[in-house]
Amino acid sequence: QVQLVESGGGSVQGGGSLRLSCAASGSIFRFNTMDWYRQAPDNQRELVAAMTSDGNTNYADSVKGRFFISRDNNTVYLHMTSLKPEDTAVYSCNGEYYLDMFGTTWNGWGQGAQVTVSS
């Protein structure tokens, strides 16, 4: 019904920036929410940024002031600045979309993108 495709991961030196994209396609009626998670080896998955349909955003304390989430139509971006080696992880988007005017929702994940920050 809906697909989320991530892009934009890669390797960067500490202090650098990257932008991740999560593009939604399919039977989308309206955007509801988008969360960005990350998981480093041997660590639990961590919610780093979230956006709601009214534009409200929230960030984990570990990324506040460095990461920013934005949306342009059916693509949600995670702008990552002042990257640190501890930001190294697989980043995954989790989105929820309305499929129709009756409130039917779809929730799913992108495929994940590796972000590696070197010191």
Side-chain angles (χ1 to χ4, degrees), residues 53-109:
S53 57
D54 56 3
N56 284 334
T57 58
N58 280 292
Y59 301 93
D61 288 343
S62 57
V63 306
K64 203 168 289 184
R66 301 187 298 119
F67 288 17
F68 305 93
I69 188 171
S70 66
R71 184 171 72 93
D72 181 9
N73 291 322
N74 288 330
T75 299
V76 177
Y77 301 96
L78 183 66
H79 308 263
M80 303 182 291
T81 67
S82 301
L83 282 162
K84 306 174 182 179
E86 51 263 43
D87 294 319
T88 295
V90 174
Y91 286 73
S92 300
C93 58
N94 176 250
E96 184 167 284
Y97 291 82
Y98 289 105
L99 302 182
D100 55 41
M101 67 175 72
F102 306 108
T104 306
T105 58
W106 174 92
N107 186 289
W109 292 84

Side-chain angles (χ1 to χ4, degrees), residues 37-54:
Y37 289 84
R38 69 183 180 187
Q39 187 164 22
D42 300 325
N43 282 10
Q44 287 189 330
R45 188 170 61 193
E46 174 189 20
L47 176 63
V48 296
M51 171 178 272
T52 61
S53 57
D54 56 3

Side-chain angles (χ1 to χ4, degrees), residues 26-37:
S27 305
I28 297 167
F29 179 71
R30 187 164 53 88
F31 168 80
N32 190 24
T33 63
M34 181 67 76
D35 300 328
W36 283 97
Y37 289 84

